[in-house]
Amino acid sequence: EKKYDIEGIDLEGKYKDWQKKLHPDLVHSKSQKERDFAAEQSARVIDAYRTLGKPLSRAIYILKLNGVEVDEEQTISDPELLAEIMEIREEVEEATNSEALNHIRSQMQKKLQNWSNAFANAFKKREFEEAKNAIRRMTYYTRVIEE
């Protein structure tokens, strides 16, 4: 099913189930062709799990499934957002302990969740330009979290 919201879906459980079926170590006694196929399919399961497990990559993927291309490098010219991101980066640089960093991370995760929700709403309404705008904002918050 092509939907963005995965709440209530045991993504990790499904991942583990597929890995139990496809992991290359499970077919070590099979032919080379079968081992190669298992390795390829296992890699696809890992890639799918990584894509679906992150709101940003899941959003980009679901739009691509709907024929909407997203320029992941396109920047935003919203001065408020850019000023906020600069302030956050300064806070990170000035953080003196892990507690301060965890607080900043928590704030960024909340903002990411808010924009993930905005994406989900826009996607349901098939408002793809608004969905792409949400993705651009999610990109900034995701980068801050990763940094």
Side-chain angles (χ1 to χ4, degrees), residues 29-144:
S29 62
K30 303 286 184 178
S31 71
Q32 184 62 45
K33 185 176 180 179
E34 289 172 302
R35 290 193 310 266
D36 290 346
F37 179 78
E40 178 185 323
Q41 296 306 307
S42 178
R44 293 180 75 184
V45 168
I46 292 167
D47 186 44
Y49 179 69
R50 287 180 180 154
T51 299
L52 298 176
K54 296 177 185 171
L56 177 59
S57 58
R58 186 171 64 247
I60 292 168
Y61 178 71
I62 196 78
L63 281 187
K64 285 181 182 178
L65 287 178
N66 283 272
V68 180
E69 289 298 318
V70 177
D71 181 358
E72 296 177 50
E73 298 304 315
Q74 185 174 357
T75 58
I76 293 179
S77 58
D78 178 350
E80 289 179 30
L81 174 66
L82 298 176
E84 178 188 11
I85 297 299
M86 285 178 53
E87 286 176 25
I88 293 163
R89 288 195 167 129
E90 287 174 11
E91 286 179 34
V92 168
E93 287 178 19
E94 294 171 1
T96 57
N97 56 42
S98 62
E99 186 177 317
L101 288 173
N102 286 336
H103 178 69
I104 295 167
R105 178 188 297 270
S106 176
Q107 288 177 319
M108 293 304 94
Q109 288 172 329
K110 286 178 186 174
K111 290 181 180 282
L112 179 59
Q113 184 59 51
N114 288 339
W115 283 105
S116 177
N117 293 342
F119 172 85
N121 291 332
F123 179 74
K124 284 178 189 173
K125 296 176 185 174
R126 315 268 310 151
E127 295 173 354
F128 294 136
E129 284 307 312
E130 191 60 35
K132 289 190 324 187
N133 181 46
I135 284 175
R136 288 183 200 103
R137 291 173 184 278
M138 290 168 66
T139 299
Y140 281 91
Y141 292 118
T142 299
R143 285 180 183 159
V144 170

